[in-house]
């Protein structure tokens, strides 16, 4: 084979690869720089293999806690990797059940792609919900101001992007028989702090 023929074949493969059927199914999200998000790519999220669930349209934002106590020295990225493995192997879910996770320091991690509905061990249908989970157990742990701040900023970003009403921001226990997201986190939904802070940010943006 002539060298020029080989180059032509290689060029064709490269070009059809770029524009052809091999489009990235999990495109990277561009977050505003003020929202500090560790992207899926940054924490080495493993792509969903096999059939993808039916896509969803976001209409609600629902807040959770991890439910297990989280020690100060526990590595959040290792926790995400383990949670992903457990969700897929033990539960048969396509991914981590939540779309975003927040660690003890208030760092936000992108988890399951928002295009796909989350999963739950309880009885409500999470289709149409953007699920945010704060690592830890807030029946026994205390939510820090940094965590609350990140939760508010992320919720405001999602509410603005998907046009979610303030009344559609709630906790897991508003939909199912559960203690989630724990009393020390739920109190900020119960007294309207989160809703108030989100609406203040939405007014500034619009
Ligand atoms: Zn929950």
């Amino acid at each position: 084979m002539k060298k020029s023929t080989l180059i032509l074949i290689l060029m064709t493969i490269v070009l059809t690869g770029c524009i052809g059927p091999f489009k990235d199914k999990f495109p990277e999200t561009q977050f505003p720089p003020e929202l500090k998000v560790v992207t899926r790519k940054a924490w080495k999220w493993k792509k969903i293999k096999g059939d993808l669930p039916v896509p969803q349209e976001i209409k609600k934002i629902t807040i959770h806690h991890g439910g297990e106590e989280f020690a100060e020295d526990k590595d959040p990225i290792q926790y995400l990797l383990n949670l992903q493995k457990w969700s897929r192997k033990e539960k048969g879910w396509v991914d981590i059940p939540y779309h975003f996770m927040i660690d003890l320091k208030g760092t936000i991690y992108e988890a399951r792609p928002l295009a796909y509905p989350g999963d739950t061990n309880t009885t409500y249908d999470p289709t149409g919900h953007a699920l945010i989970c704060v690592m830890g157990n807030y029946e026994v742990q205390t939510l820090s101001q940094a965590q609350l701040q990140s939760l508010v900023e992320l919720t405001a970003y999602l509410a603005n992007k998907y046009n979610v009403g303030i009344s559609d921001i709630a906790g897991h226990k508003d939909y199912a028989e559960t203690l989630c997201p724990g009393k020390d986190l739920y109190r900020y939904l119960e007294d309207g702090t989160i809703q108030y802070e989100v609406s203040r940010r939405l007014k500034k943006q619009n």
Side-chain angles (χ1 to χ4, degrees):
M1 194 187 294
K2 267 200 249 160
K3 199 177 169 192
S4 60
T5 317
L6 185 67
I7 289 169
L8 191 68
I9 291 170
L10 284 174
M11 288 278 287
T12 312
I13 291 169
V14 169
L15 285 174
T16 50
C18 291
I19 54 168
F22 307 106
K23 183 171 118 208
D24 189 0
K25 283 186 284 189
F26 310 107
E28 274 183 63
T29 317
Q30 296 301 320
F31 293 100
E34 65 275 15
L35 193 70
K36 300 231 170 351
V37 178
V38 179
T39 61
R40 281 189 283 272
K41 193 179 174 188
W43 68 262
K44 298 194 166 53
W45 176 81
K46 292 184 187 72
K47 288 185 180 179
I48 300 170
K49 288 191 191 115
D51 291 340
L52 290 170
V54 177
Q56 66 174 354
E57 203 183 310
I58 301 297
K59 301 213 183 287
K60 293 172 187 289
I61 300 166
T62 306
I63 297 165
H64 298 258
H65 71 168
E68 48 177 326
E69 264 188 85
F70 208 91
E72 295 273 349
D73 59 354
K74 191 161 162 176
D75 176 8
I77 291 183
Q78 195 52 52
Y79 174 77
L80 290 170
L81 292 167
N82 292 345
L83 181 60
Q84 188 179 48
K85 211 189 231 173
W86 176 83
S87 301
R88 289 175 176 175
K89 281 213 170 123
E90 304 297 321
K91 300 297 297 183
W93 296 334
V94 294
D95 199 11
I96 288 175
Y98 313 106
H99 301 102
F100 291 93
M101 307 281 298
I102 297 174
D103 73 10
L104 294 191
K105 294 196 175 85
T107 306
I108 301 166
Y109 302 85
E110 192 185 19
R112 178 182 301 218
L114 269 171
Y116 306 111
D119 272 298
T120 177
N121 283 319
T122 61
T123 51
Y124 82 112
D125 178 7
T127 306
H129 296 233
L131 305 181
I132 304 173
C133 175
V134 184
M135 297 176 192
N137 180 341
Y138 297 91
E139 276 297 295
V140 291
Q141 289 181 265
T142 306
L143 193 79
S144 72
Q145 284 305 302
Q147 288 176 305
L148 181 59
Q149 171 91 12
S150 296
L151 186 56
V152 164
E153 302 295 351
L154 177 60
T155 304
Y157 161 77
L158 292 170
N160 183 51
K161 188 165 179 188
Y162 297 101
N163 213 8
V164 175
I166 294 297
S167 60
D168 286 321
I169 298 167
H172 186 179
K173 66 190 279 181
D174 295 314
Y175 297 104
E177 198 64 50
T178 175
L179 291 172
C180 180
K183 57 178 188 249
D184 199 68
L185 200 170
Y186 190 71
R187 66 189 172 106
Y188 295 108
L189 282 166
E190 211 168 22
D191 73 3
T193 302
I194 292 175
Q195 295 88 331
Y196 170 76
E197 290 298 328
V198 168
S199 58
R200 231 162 49 93
R201 282 159 179 79
L202 293 180
K203 271 186 206 126
K204 253 191 236 165
Q205 283 163 10
N206 295 319

